[in-house]
Amino acid sequence: MALPSRCAYHVIYDSSLLDSLKYAAENDWSGIVPDFGVPRFSPERFSQRQREELKHAATEMNVEWGFHAPGDDVSLFSTYAPIREGILDYFRQIIDFARDVSASRTNLVVHAGVPPQFKKAGASEDDFTQENWDLLLDTLRGNLLDLIRHAAPDVQISLENYKWTQLIREVIEQLVPKGLTLCLDIPKIYSAEGEVLRADWEVFQRHCNAITVVHVHDWSSRLGSHQVFGNGELDFKPVLSFLSGIKEPLQYVFEVRDRILAQESLVKFEDMLDAHSITLE
C-alpha cells in the first residue's frame, strides 16, 4: 500500500526552517510541522522578508506546512485577564506567521490546556471545576473562537486530544459547527493501561469529518510516547482502519524526534499499511 498523500514530520531539533524544507523535499515528506514551543521558531524572530523567502522555498520545493502551538506552558483555560490576552496575542502572531509562509490553507494544532484543580481532602472528584464549570467553559470556548475567527479562512485551528475532559468535549460539540477542527493523536486515544478512552474516541467517530490532522508515534510502557512507530506496544490497526474510511486527505504528522527516527517511522508505517492492506488518502 502507498503512504498517505500528506506525510509531515514534527520539526524540533532542526537548525532552521529552510533546512527542514530541504530535508523534507529530499526525503519523501510532503510537509513539515514546526513546533512553536521551540524558541528559535518563535514568529517575532522572522522578518517579513524571511517569511516571503520561506514561502517561496516551500512553494518551489512543493512542501506544505502545518504548525503546532506551544502547549506545555500555556493554557487556553487561563482566566487571568492580562495573561489570557497575552496568550491570545501570541497565538495570533503564530497564525499570522502561518498565513505568511503558506501558499495554501494550512493548520495550527493547539492543546486546550488544564484548568486549576483544588480537590478537597478525601475527595476523588474536583469540586472546584464543578463550581466554576460555566466560567471555565466560557473561557475555553471564547479563546478558541477568537483563534478560529482570526485564522479563517487560511489557517484551520485543530484541537488535539490532549487530556480531554467532559468540559473540553462539551466545548468541542459547540465549536465544530463554527469551524473548529480536530487533531487525532493516536497514542493519546489510549489510556496508560492500553484501553481506548471511549468518550474521546466517540468524539472522533461522531465528528470524523472535522479531523484534519493525525499524529503518529508509538508508546512504550518503559519510555512513554513519541517512540519510533512499530517499536512500541500500541495496536494501530483499529484506528487506521477507521481513518481509511475518511476520503479527504488528512495530514499525517510523525511526532517522532529527531527527523532520522521520523524517517525510520515512515518506512515502518508504510510496511504496516501494506501488511494489513489499509489504504489512507
PDB file of all heavy atoms in Angstrom, residues 92-115:
ATOM      1  N   ARG A  92      -2.147  34.633  18.009  1.00  0.00           N
ATOM      2  CA  ARG A  92      -2.485  35.368  16.777  1.00  0.00           C
ATOM      3  C   ARG A  92      -1.226  35.633  15.950  1.00  0.00           C
ATOM      4  O   ARG A  92      -1.264  35.581  14.714  1.00  0.00           O
ATOM      5  CB  ARG A  92      -3.172  36.695  17.125  1.00  0.00           C
ATOM      6  CG  ARG A  92      -4.546  36.544  17.761  1.00  0.00           C
ATOM      7  CD  ARG A  92      -5.199  37.910  17.977  1.00  0.00           C
ATOM      8  NE  ARG A  92      -6.233  37.849  18.996  1.00  0.00           N
ATOM      9  CZ  ARG A  92      -6.155  38.433  20.193  1.00  0.00           C
ATOM     10  NH1 ARG A  92      -5.080  39.149  20.505  1.00  0.00           N
ATOM     11  NH2 ARG A  92      -7.146  38.330  21.049  1.00  0.00           N
ATOM     12  N   GLN A  93      -0.118  35.924  16.613  1.00  0.00           N
ATOM     13  CA  GLN A  93       1.148  36.100  15.897  1.00  0.00           C
ATOM     14  C   GLN A  93       1.548  34.807  15.181  1.00  0.00           C
ATOM     15  O   GLN A  93       2.066  34.841  14.061  1.00  0.00           O
ATOM     16  CB  GLN A  93       2.245  36.520  16.877  1.00  0.00           C
ATOM     17  CG  GLN A  93       2.092  37.900  17.457  1.00  0.00           C
ATOM     18  CD  GLN A  93       3.216  38.235  18.424  1.00  0.00           C
ATOM     19  OE1 GLN A  93       4.385  37.983  18.138  1.00  0.00           O
ATOM     20  NE2 GLN A  93       2.864  38.784  19.580  1.00  0.00           N
ATOM     21  N   ILE A  94       1.331  33.677  15.831  1.00  0.00           N
ATOM     22  CA  ILE A  94       1.630  32.389  15.211  1.00  0.00           C
ATOM     23  C   ILE A  94       0.766  32.188  13.972  1.00  0.00           C
ATOM     24  O   ILE A  94       1.247  31.761  12.915  1.00  0.00           O
ATOM     25  CB  ILE A  94       1.393  31.245  16.217  1.00  0.00           C
ATOM     26  CG1 ILE A  94       2.440  31.283  17.330  1.00  0.00           C
ATOM     27  CG2 ILE A  94       1.406  29.892  15.508  1.00  0.00           C
ATOM     28  CD1 ILE A  94       2.154  30.299  18.447  1.00  0.00           C
ATOM     29  N   ILE A  95      -0.509  32.504  14.110  1.00  0.00           N
ATOM     30  CA  ILE A  95      -1.429  32.355  12.979  1.00  0.00           C
ATOM     31  C   ILE A  95      -0.994  33.248  11.823  1.00  0.00           C
ATOM     32  O   ILE A  95      -0.991  32.826  10.651  1.00  0.00           O
ATOM     33  CB  ILE A  95      -2.867  32.680  13.416  1.00  0.00           C
ATOM     34  CG1 ILE A  95      -3.388  31.595  14.374  1.00  0.00           C
ATOM     35  CG2 ILE A  95      -3.793  32.810  12.206  1.00  0.00           C
ATOM     36  CD1 ILE A  95      -4.667  31.969  15.098  1.00  0.00           C
ATOM     37  N   ASP A  96      -0.607  34.473  12.120  1.00  0.00           N
ATOM     38  CA  ASP A  96      -0.150  35.391  11.067  1.00  0.00           C
ATOM     39  C   ASP A  96       1.107  34.853  10.383  1.00  0.00           C
ATOM     40  O   ASP A  96       1.249  34.967   9.157  1.00  0.00           O
ATOM     41  CB  ASP A  96       0.122  36.775  11.651  1.00  0.00           C
ATOM     42  CG  ASP A  96      -1.149  37.475  12.108  1.00  0.00           C
ATOM     43  OD1 ASP A  96      -2.243  37.062  11.679  1.00  0.00           O
ATOM     44  OD2 ASP A  96      -1.040  38.430  12.904  1.00  0.00           O
ATOM     45  N   PHE A  97       2.012  34.273  11.165  1.00  0.00           N
ATOM     46  CA  PHE A  97       3.208  33.675  10.576  1.00  0.00           C
ATOM     47  C   PHE A  97       2.827  32.515   9.655  1.00  0.00           C
ATOM     48  O   PHE A  97       3.338  32.406   8.526  1.00  0.00           O
ATOM     49  CB  PHE A  97       4.141  33.168  11.686  1.00  0.00           C
ATOM     50  CG  PHE A  97       5.379  32.481  11.168  1.00  0.00           C
ATOM     51  CD1 PHE A  97       6.504  33.211  10.824  1.00  0.00           C
ATOM     52  CD2 PHE A  97       5.408  31.093  11.011  1.00  0.00           C
ATOM     53  CE1 PHE A  97       7.644  32.582  10.348  1.00  0.00           C
ATOM     54  CE2 PHE A  97       6.538  30.453  10.537  1.00  0.00           C
ATOM     55  CZ  PHE A  97       7.661  31.196  10.200  1.00  0.00           C
ATOM     56  N   ALA A  98       1.927  31.655  10.123  1.00  0.00           N
ATOM     57  CA  ALA A  98       1.480  30.524   9.302  1.00  0.00           C
ATOM     58  C   ALA A  98       0.866  31.009   7.998  1.00  0.00           C
ATOM     59  O   ALA A  98       1.113  30.453   6.923  1.00  0.00           O
ATOM     60  CB  ALA A  98       0.473  29.682  10.090  1.00  0.00           C
ATOM     61  N   ARG A  99       0.098  32.070   8.084  1.00  0.00           N
ATOM     62  CA  ARG A  99      -0.536  32.642   6.890  1.00  0.00           C
ATOM     63  C   ARG A  99       0.520  33.228   5.947  1.00  0.00           C
ATOM     64  O   ARG A  99       0.428  33.077   4.721  1.00  0.00           O
ATOM     65  CB  ARG A  99      -1.529  33.715   7.328  1.00  0.00           C
ATOM     66  CG  ARG A  99      -2.307  34.354   6.204  1.00  0.00           C
ATOM     67  CD  ARG A  99      -3.260  35.411   6.756  1.00  0.00           C
ATOM     68  NE  ARG A  99      -4.442  34.810   7.374  1.00  0.00           N
ATOM     69  CZ  ARG A  99      -4.793  34.977   8.646  1.00  0.00           C
ATOM     70  NH1 ARG A  99      -4.049  35.706   9.456  1.00  0.00           N
ATOM     71  NH2 ARG A  99      -5.897  34.416   9.097  1.00  0.00           N
ATOM     72  N   ASP A 100       1.536  33.850   6.513  1.00  0.00           N
ATOM     73  CA  ASP A 100       2.559  34.500   5.693  1.00  0.00           C
ATOM     74  C   ASP A 100       3.412  33.514   4.901  1.00  0.00           C
ATOM     75  O   ASP A 100       3.833  33.818   3.780  1.00  0.00           O
ATOM     76  CB  ASP A 100       3.482  35.346   6.577  1.00  0.00           C
ATOM     77  CG  ASP A 100       2.836  36.638   7.041  1.00  0.00           C
ATOM     78  OD1 ASP A 100       1.802  37.032   6.470  1.00  0.00           O
ATOM     79  OD2 ASP A 100       3.375  37.250   7.989  1.00  0.00           O
ATOM     80  N   VAL A 101       3.713  32.348   5.470  1.00  0.00           N
ATOM     81  CA  VAL A 101       4.638  31.430   4.808  1.00  0.00           C
ATOM     82  C   VAL A 101       3.930  30.358   3.971  1.00  0.00           C
ATOM     83  O   VAL A 101       4.595  29.599   3.257  1.00  0.00           O
ATOM     84  CB  VAL A 101       5.585  30.742   5.825  1.00  0.00           C
ATOM     85  CG1 VAL A 101       6.382  31.780   6.600  1.00  0.00           C
ATOM     86  CG2 VAL A 101       4.826  29.818   6.767  1.00  0.00           C
ATOM     87  N   SER A 102       2.607  30.294   4.062  1.00  0.00           N
ATOM     88  CA  SER A 102       1.871  29.235   3.366  1.00  0.00           C
ATOM     89  C   SER A 102       1.198  29.763   2.114  1.00  0.00           C
ATOM     90  O   SER A 102       0.485  30.773   2.155  1.00  0.00           O
ATOM     91  CB  SER A 102       0.809  28.628   4.300  1.00  0.00           C
ATOM     92  OG  SER A 102       1.400  28.122   5.478  1.00  0.00           O
ATOM     93  N   ALA A 103       1.392  29.053   1.035  1.00  0.00           N
ATOM     94  CA  ALA A 103       0.760  29.440  -0.229  1.00  0.00           C
ATOM     95  C   ALA A 103      -0.667  28.919  -0.326  1.00  0.00           C
ATOM     96  O   ALA A 103      -1.423  29.342  -1.197  1.00  0.00           O
ATOM     97  CB  ALA A 103       1.583  28.913  -1.395  1.00  0.00           C
ATOM     98  N   SER A 104      -1.031  27.989   0.550  1.00  0.00           N
ATOM     99  CA  SER A 104      -2.376  27.425   0.550  1.00  0.00           C
ATOM    100  C   SER A 104      -2.840  27.288   1.994  1.00  0.00           C
ATOM    101  O   SER A 104      -2.108  27.608   2.934  1.00  0.00           O
ATOM    102  CB  SER A 104      -2.389  26.058  -0.148  1.00  0.00           C
ATOM    103  OG  SER A 104      -1.489  25.168   0.492  1.00  0.00           O
ATOM    104  N   ARG A 105      -4.039  26.796   2.176  1.00  0.00           N
ATOM    105  CA  ARG A 105      -4.575  26.641   3.533  1.00  0.00           C
ATOM    106  C   ARG A 105      -3.683  25.712   4.349  1.00  0.00           C
ATOM    107  O   ARG A 105      -3.177  24.714   3.850  1.00  0.00           O
ATOM    108  CB  ARG A 105      -5.991  26.078   3.482  1.00  0.00           C
ATOM    109  CG  ARG A 105      -6.577  25.788   4.860  1.00  0.00           C
ATOM    110  CD  ARG A 105      -7.960  25.184   4.797  1.00  0.00           C
ATOM    111  NE  ARG A 105      -8.968  26.209   4.560  1.00  0.00           N
ATOM    112  CZ  ARG A 105     -10.278  25.991   4.693  1.00  0.00           C
ATOM    113  NH1 ARG A 105     -10.720  24.785   5.017  1.00  0.00           N
ATOM    114  NH2 ARG A 105     -11.142  26.957   4.482  1.00  0.00           N
ATOM    115  N   THR A 106      -3.499  26.065   5.610  1.00  0.00           N
ATOM    116  CA  THR A 106      -2.677  25.259   6.495  1.00  0.00           C
ATOM    117  C   THR A 106      -3.421  25.069   7.815  1.00  0.00           C
ATOM    118  O   THR A 106      -4.610  25.378   7.928  1.00  0.00           O
ATOM    119  CB  THR A 106      -1.291  25.904   6.700  1.00  0.00           C
ATOM    120  OG1 THR A 106      -0.467  25.034   7.475  1.00  0.00           O
ATOM    121  CG2 THR A 106      -1.399  27.252   7.385  1.00  0.00           C
ATOM    122  N   ASN A 107      -2.736  24.542   8.823  1.00  0.00           N
ATOM    123  CA  ASN A 107      -3.395  24.268  10.095  1.00  0.00           C
ATOM    124  C   ASN A 107      -2.480  24.617  11.262  1.00  0.00           C
ATOM    125  O   ASN A 107      -1.257  24.623  11.131  1.00  0.00           O
ATOM    126  CB  ASN A 107      -3.812  22.795  10.174  1.00  0.00           C
ATOM    127  CG  ASN A 107      -2.619  21.856  10.163  1.00  0.00           C
ATOM    128  OD1 ASN A 107      -1.926  21.697  11.170  1.00  0.00           O
ATOM    129  ND2 ASN A 107      -2.371  21.231   9.006  1.00  0.00           N
ATOM    130  N   LEU A 108      -3.101  24.881  12.408  1.00  0.00           N
ATOM    131  CA  LEU A 108      -2.384  25.093  13.659  1.00  0.00           C
ATOM    132  C   LEU A 108      -3.010  24.182  14.705  1.00  0.00           C
ATOM    133  O   LEU A 108      -4.190  24.329  15.043  1.00  0.00           O
ATOM    134  CB  LEU A 108      -2.479  26.553  14.109  1.00  0.00           C
ATOM    135  CG  LEU A 108      -1.882  26.854  15.494  1.00  0.00           C
ATOM    136  CD1 LEU A 108      -0.366  26.641  15.483  1.00  0.00           C
ATOM    137  CD2 LEU A 108      -2.234  28.277  15.928  1.00  0.00           C
ATOM    138  N   VAL A 109      -2.226  23.231  15.203  1.00  0.00           N
ATOM    139  CA  VAL A 109      -2.700  22.321  16.249  1.00  0.00           C
ATOM    140  C   VAL A 109      -2.493  22.987  17.603  1.00  0.00           C
ATOM    141  O   VAL A 109      -1.420  23.527  17.892  1.00  0.00           O
ATOM    142  CB  VAL A 109      -1.949  20.975  16.179  1.00  0.00           C
ATOM    143  CG1 VAL A 109      -2.262  20.111  17.397  1.00  0.00           C
ATOM    144  CG2 VAL A 109      -2.317  20.243  14.893  1.00  0.00           C
ATOM    145  N   VAL A 110      -3.522  22.937  18.437  1.00  0.00           N
ATOM    146  CA  VAL A 110      -3.452  23.535  19.772  1.00  0.00           C
ATOM    147  C   VAL A 110      -3.889  22.518  20.819  1.00  0.00           C
ATOM    148  O   VAL A 110      -4.636  21.581  20.525  1.00  0.00           O
ATOM    149  CB  VAL A 110      -4.336  24.801  19.881  1.00  0.00           C
ATOM    150  CG1 VAL A 110      -3.909  25.851  18.863  1.00  0.00           C
ATOM    151  CG2 VAL A 110      -5.814  24.457  19.709  1.00  0.00           C
ATOM    152  N   HIS A 111      -3.401  22.720  22.051  1.00  0.00           N
ATOM    153  CA  HIS A 111      -3.887  21.989  23.222  1.00  0.00           C
ATOM    154  C   HIS A 111      -4.830  22.903  23.992  1.00  0.00           C
ATOM    155  O   HIS A 111      -4.595  24.117  24.070  1.00  0.00           O
ATOM    156  CB  HIS A 111      -2.735  21.603  24.144  1.00  0.00           C
ATOM    157  CG  HIS A 111      -1.809  20.583  23.578  1.00  0.00           C
ATOM    158  ND1 HIS A 111      -0.689  20.143  24.255  1.00  0.00           N
ATOM    159  CD2 HIS A 111      -1.813  19.915  22.406  1.00  0.00           C
ATOM    160  CE1 HIS A 111      -0.052  19.252  23.525  1.00  0.00           C
ATOM    161  NE2 HIS A 111      -0.715  19.104  22.397  1.00  0.00           N
ATOM    162  N   ALA A 112      -5.857  22.332  24.596  1.00  0.00           N
ATOM    163  CA  ALA A 112      -6.760  23.139  25.412  1.00  0.00           C
ATOM    164  C   ALA A 112      -6.066  23.616  26.680  1.00  0.00           C
ATOM    165  O   ALA A 112      -6.330  24.718  27.167  1.00  0.00           O
ATOM    166  CB  ALA A 112      -8.011  22.340  25.774  1.00  0.00           C
ATOM    167  N   GLY A 113      -5.173  22.794  27.198  1.00  0.00           N
ATOM    168  CA  GLY A 113      -4.554  23.099  28.473  1.00  0.00           C
ATOM    169  C   GLY A 113      -5.361  22.508  29.621  1.00  0.00           C
ATOM    170  O   GLY A 113      -6.337  21.769  29.414  1.00  0.00           O
ATOM    171  N   VAL A 114      -4.970  22.852  30.833  1.00  0.00           N
ATOM    172  CA  VAL A 114      -5.599  22.280  32.028  1.00  0.00           C
ATOM    173  C   VAL A 114      -5.985  23.413  32.971  1.00  0.00           C
ATOM    174  O   VAL A 114      -5.151  24.268  33.285  1.00  0.00           O
ATOM    175  CB  VAL A 114      -4.632  21.313  32.738  1.00  0.00           C
ATOM    176  CG1 VAL A 114      -5.291  20.724  33.982  1.00  0.00           C
ATOM    177  CG2 VAL A 114      -4.190  20.197  31.787  1.00  0.00           C
ATOM    178  N   PRO A 115      -7.232  23.442  33.461  1.00  0.00           N
ATOM    179  CA  PRO A 115      -7.620  24.479  34.421  1.00  0.00           C
ATOM    180  C   PRO A 115      -7.067  24.174  35.807  1.00  0.00           C
ATOM    181  O   PRO A 115      -6.626  23.050  36.075  1.00  0.00           O
ATOM    182  CB  PRO A 115      -9.156  24.384  34.412  1.00  0.00           C
ATOM    183  CG  PRO A 115      -9.439  22.967  34.054  1.00  0.00           C
ATOM    184  CD  PRO A 115      -8.349  22.549  33.098  1.00  0.00           C
TER     185      PRO A 115
END
